[in-house]
Amino acid sequence: MSNVIVHSLFSEFDINLFKTGKHFRLYNKLGSHLIEVDGVKGTYFAVWAPSAKSVSVIGDFNYWNAGEHELNVRWDASGIWEGFIPGVDKGTKYKYKIHSHNNDIWTEKADPFARFCEHPPNTASLVWDAPYDWKDKKWMDTREEKNGLDKPYSVYEVHLGSWKKKNGWESLTYIEMADQLVDYVDKMGFTHVEFMPVMEYPYDPSWGYQITGYFAPTSRFGKPEDFKVLVDKFHQKGIGVILDWVPSHFPEDAHGLGFFDGSHLYEHPDRRRGYHPDWKSLIFNYGRNEVRAFLISNAIFWLDHYHVDGLRVDAVASMLYLDYSREDGEWEPNMYGNNENLEALSFLREMNQEVYASFKGVQTIAEESTAFSGVTKPVHFGGLGFGMKWMMGWMHDTLEFFKKEPIHRSYDLNDITFSMTYAFTENFVLPFSHDEVVYGKQSLLYRMPGDEWQRFANLRLLFGYMFTHPGGNLLFMGGEFGQSSEWNFQESLAWHLTQYDFHSGIQEVIKDLNKLYKSNPALYQKQFSSEGFQWIEYNDKENTVITYLRKGEDPKDDLIIACNFTPVPRENYRVGVPKSTQLKLVFNSDETKYSGSGIGKKTLKPSKTSWNGHPQSVVMTLPPLAVVVYK
């Protein structure tokens, strides 16, 4: 006991906020902190363990012996144990040895607030600080202007461990990615990068979605300050950084949050609400004040300490519904007799309110797969308060349509056009994510029908349709050059394919679509408003062609888009247009530089022949399996 000096970073106000679930900067208080007390350097430790009989810090500094450095329990019934240990410095490995009042159980846990962790499979926490001289002031000062809902949102989704390998098997470090990945994303023209979870996780096949170190960038690729370098370099290139964030569940690993102090501390004690049958993981107790404070503090932490620009919140649907993935009798209705998880709804609203109140120019994005209403509506209007939501219905319907042989597509044109009936009910991002290229679903390229030429033409058409459809865009790595195999988290992307014309052609398409998207206000200014879209023709089943307008604030920016979903060129195809001015071709997915056939007219002069409800029209030549965009 004498080895631990009584000391606290908590004020009475901090404790009151913590107990009421309103302390959203807990990372400044809980965890391990390098400080100086009365001229002596060491580390202050604080951990929440209300069911504990005793809590000791064990580590390489005391040969992992419990009892030598026992923390002091606070007198205020907060359940916090704390104390200052002299001489413990940066890099020290440690855990908490907890003796519980609950059946005299002992647990040995990593620090929930650790800033750095041992490289898996090792599980200790490390005393760490990560001072860093940020060089992204220009980005941070102007982020609000670049990261808004009326700005381009083209996202490159990345799994850091498998984007590229060196020596055939070894992942790049954060520092190496700060050169290679940043330059690549910049060259391809994406506005944002999204990382699958970077928080520390024990099991590689989970891809990071089973987190044990919520406040620590994974040590697989380097130190916390190295990850800051990566974020900083993206910002210096004007590229926003989005992190996948997982408040929906956590693993039962012995060193993790589960049964932390010998009680159900972080997880809901009722197995019907505290255990996820699909992922064999535990579900947070969203009704417990301290747990809410932990999670919201974690969201704030990444935006605060790592300058992150957005959080994509994973598996929101699993949080919203008490009966998610459960059979009758395996769940209990809420107080109103329905299936909504009221505590989770309240948590998500509070999290979004705090994020948007605390940081300018950030976004939260919901991965929510149901028709739950108001996900992106403001909280004060009864919504959940997210900035954007993944458009899972569009993704599913679009891929179902594209996998059909073109001869059958005319019967299912509604699969493509149906999305416009609900496209503006939320602020939607169109995702072709990692989930669509695993577990036997095949790569995007090999979901396309036909011979080699048709597969690539279909993929170019798919991307052109995606970028001209209202909403933001997200593409998982490898899709941008037409990777032929499914994604394998253990292997590098198949970069050798880019030496072949068809694959490099897909890369050029994505580059040009990003350029088109960013340089044409009609594609982003009103991307979440029905004012930004108008059908010209959505029911031409005979030709399997759709045509539509995209509109910006200035009518001079309007674009006319035509998609031909068959391998048959459409000569003399008449399209009604709203104005009599000449049209100029600004994108054609069939250009020869993409390995297309090069069919299509560069300019179009409208005639006074009324068509599609417009007083004038143009006659186009529509290339096979292609999208053309005119301005």
Side-chain angles (χ1 to χ4, degrees):
M1 290 290 287
S2 62
N3 294 324
V4 177
I5 295 172
V6 175
H7 188 77
S8 183
L9 296 182
F10 285 90
S11 66
E12 186 177 343
F13 183 56
D14 286 323
I15 296 299
N16 288 334
L17 286 176
F18 179 54
K19 286 181 176 180
T20 56
K22 301 296 183 183
H23 201 310
F24 303 139
R25 305 293 189 280
L26 283 174
Y27 50 86
N28 291 328
K29 308 292 179 176
L30 287 166
S32 60
H33 298 271
L34 290 160
I35 62 171
E36 191 173 303
V37 176
D38 297 331
V40 178
K41 292 182 178 180
T43 301
Y44 165 81
F45 294 90
V47 62
W48 179 50
S51 291
K53 189 184 296 184
S54 69
V55 177
S56 295
V57 183
I58 58 174
D60 50 10
F61 65 97
N62 63 12
Y63 304 101
W64 302 93
N65 288 326
E68 284 200 24
H69 293 88
E70 224 174 86
L71 297 179
N72 309 295
V73 66
R74 289 185 62 90
W75 53 270
D76 49 24
S78 62
I80 293 171
W81 297 72
E82 61 183 352
F84 174 74
I85 305 178
V88 173
D89 56 13
K90 184 174 179 176
T92 300
K93 298 173 185 176
Y94 72 98
K95 284 186 178 180
Y96 296 117
K97 189 79 170 184
I98 303 170
H99 188 194
S100 178
H101 280 292
N102 186 15
N103 295 323
D104 216 32
I105 291 170
W106 288 85
T107 62
E108 192 173 293
K109 296 291 185 178
D111 189 344
F113 284 83
R115 304 293 181 87
F116 195 24
C117 303
E118 278 192 294
H119 192 301
N122 297 323
T123 58
S125 303
L126 275 71
V127 175
W128 205 262
D129 59 1
Y132 181 73
D133 181 19
W134 287 93
K135 300 174 181 64
D136 62 349
K137 186 177 188 304
K138 182 180 178 182
W139 168 265
M140 297 299 283
D141 287 348
T142 59
R143 177 172 67 179
E144 195 171 9
E145 302 165 20
K146 298 176 180 177
N147 207 30
L149 296 177
D150 60 347
K151 297 297 187 291
Y153 230 82
S154 179
V155 184
Y156 186 58
E157 187 190 22
V158 176
H159 177 262
L160 292 176
S162 59
W163 179 72
K164 186 179 285 187
K165 301 280 191 180
K166 56 187 177 182
N167 306 320
W169 60 273
E170 190 178 356
S171 297
L172 301 183
T173 66
Y174 292 129
I175 298 297
E176 290 167 333
M177 291 180 217
D179 291 326
Q180 298 181 43
L181 178 59
V182 171
D183 284 348
Y184 180 74
V185 175
D186 181 49
K187 182 180 77 172
M188 293 301 296
F190 290 98
T191 64
H192 293 75
V193 66
E194 179 178 318
F195 297 141
M196 292 166 67
V198 300
M199 302 82 183
E200 193 60 82
Y201 57 99
Y203 186 51
D204 284 352
S206 78
W207 310 335
Y209 289 98
Q210 298 273 10
I211 295 171
T212 50
Y214 270 80
F215 291 83
T218 178
S219 56
R220 288 167 173 82
F221 316 118
K223 300 172 183 176
E225 51 267 44
D226 297 341
F227 182 62
K228 290 181 178 180
V229 172
L230 177 58
V231 175
D232 200 355
K233 287 290 184 68
F234 271 115
H235 285 172
Q236 291 173 45
K237 291 286 191 180
I239 297 166
V241 178
I242 304 163
L243 299 188
D244 270 15
W245 185 55
V246 191
S248 48
H249 64 112
F250 59 93
E252 290 189 282
D253 292 62
H255 68 289
L257 297 177
F259 213 55
F260 187 80
D261 62 351
S263 72
H264 298 291
L265 190 62
Y266 288 91
E267 68 271 23
H268 199 286
D270 186 338
R271 198 76 166 170
R272 293 172 296 180
R273 297 179 64 176
Y275 181 74
H276 200 296
D278 284 355
W279 302 316
K280 308 293 186 292
S281 55
L282 302 173
I283 300 171
F284 285 103
N285 185 353
Y286 305 109
R288 188 162 192 168
N289 288 338
E290 297 90 344
V291 173
R292 291 166 71 105
F294 168 82
L295 286 171
I296 296 175
S297 290
N298 186 242
I300 296 296
F301 171 78
W302 293 100
L303 300 165
D304 179 11
H305 278 236
Y306 286 88
H307 288 201
V308 167
D309 308 294
L311 297 172
R312 177 266 195 186
V313 184
D314 182 62
V316 171
S318 73
M319 301 170 66
L320 299 181
Y321 300 104
L322 296 167
D323 61 344
Y324 185 90
S325 202
R326 296 181 191 275
E327 303 294 332
D328 289 344
E330 294 179 349
W331 64 282
E332 186 177 49
N334 64 28
M335 60 190 290
Y336 302 114
N338 65 41
N339 66 342
E340 290 183 354
N341 188 332
L342 302 177
E343 294 168 345
L345 291 173
S346 171
F347 157 71
L348 288 170
R349 290 180 174 123
E350 188 169 26
M351 181 275 296
N352 280 316
Q353 283 181 307
E354 183 62 24
V355 164
Y356 282 105
S358 300
F359 300 94
K360 291 183 177 180
V362 300
Q363 298 291 345
T364 60
I365 305 159
E367 191 246 336
E368 202 284 305
S369 55
T370 73
F372 190 92
S373 179
V375 172
T376 59
K377 296 294 183 290
V379 171
H380 58 268
F381 287 149
L384 292 184
F386 284 94
M388 287 176 265
K389 169 183 169 173
W390 278 17
M391 198 175 189
M392 308 295 279
W394 171 88
M395 175 275 299
H396 179 268
D397 289 347
T398 298
L399 291 178
E400 280 295 305
F401 176 83
F402 267 85
K403 80 177 186 181
K404 293 180 171 69
E405 292 289 344
I407 195 171
H408 301 304
R409 287 176 177 173
S410 62
Y411 305 108
D412 297 293
L413 201 57
N414 184 58
D415 284 351
I416 280 290
T417 61
F418 179 70
S419 63
M420 295 313 305
T421 64
Y422 65 93
F424 305 109
T425 58
E426 303 279 5
N427 300 333
F428 282 118
V429 173
L430 314 178
F432 289 137
S433 74
H434 62 275
D435 279 328
E436 306 318 310
V437 291
V438 289
Y439 298 143
K441 294 178 182 176
Q442 296 186 303
S443 64
L444 290 179
L445 177 65
Y446 273 80
R447 294 172 86 156
M448 304 295 113
D451 59 20
E452 183 180 48
W453 190 94
Q454 288 195 24
R455 283 188 194 276
F456 280 94
N458 267 305
L459 192 59
R460 297 192 300 267
L461 170 58
L462 174 71
F463 291 148
Y465 164 67
M466 173 191 188
F467 272 80
T468 57
H469 187 289
N473 312 296
L474 177 139
L475 181 60
F476 183 58
M477 62 183 201
E480 82 281 5
F481 61 81
Q483 174 149 317
S484 51
S485 59
E486 281 192 343
W487 170 55
N488 183 337
F489 73 93
Q490 296 175 305
E491 299 175 357
S492 170
L493 295 181
W495 291 106
H496 66 279
L497 294 176
T498 58
Q499 67 184 302
Y500 302 111
D501 290 346
F502 276 129
H503 292 278
S504 63
I506 297 293
Q507 268 188 319
E508 292 302 312
V509 163
I510 294 298
K511 283 183 192 176
D512 287 351
L513 283 171
N514 274 323
K515 190 182 301 181
L516 179 79
Y517 181 37
K518 292 188 292 186
S519 61
N520 283 277
L523 293 176
Y524 60 80
Q525 285 180 337
K526 298 180 178 180
Q527 59 191 339
F528 302 123
S529 167
S530 59
E531 295 177 358
F533 179 89
Q534 182 183 333
W535 281 117
I536 297 174
E537 176 59 72
Y538 61 86
N539 199 35
D540 184 1
K541 295 183 178 179
E542 182 180 348
N543 292 296
T544 322
V545 170
I546 60 173
T547 50
Y548 47 94
L549 286 166
R550 291 297 309 277
K551 302 178 178 181
E553 300 288 349
D554 188 337
K556 288 187 295 186
D557 294 328
D558 290 359
L559 299 176
I560 293 171
I561 296 103
C563 300
N564 177 10
F565 295 110
T566 73
V568 180
R570 301 297 178 188
E571 304 280 353
N572 301 315
Y573 189 83
R574 188 170 292 277
V575 177
V577 293
K579 290 180 285 188
S580 57
T581 52
Q582 181 172 281
L583 302 182
K584 178 185 176 183
L585 182 70
V586 292
F587 179 79
N588 177 3
S589 69
D590 190 51
E591 286 191 30
T592 54
K593 69 174 180 176
Y594 308 139
S595 295
S597 58
I599 296 174
K601 297 179 180 178
K602 299 295 184 184
T603 58
L604 300 172
K605 179 81 174 163
S607 69
K608 292 184 178 179
T609 305
S610 61
W611 205 259
N612 301 127
H614 292 286
Q616 54 273 318
S617 58
V618 294
V619 175
M620 296 183 177
T621 297
L622 298 184
L625 292 173
V627 55
V628 291
V629 181
Y630 285 91
K631 187 172 183 177

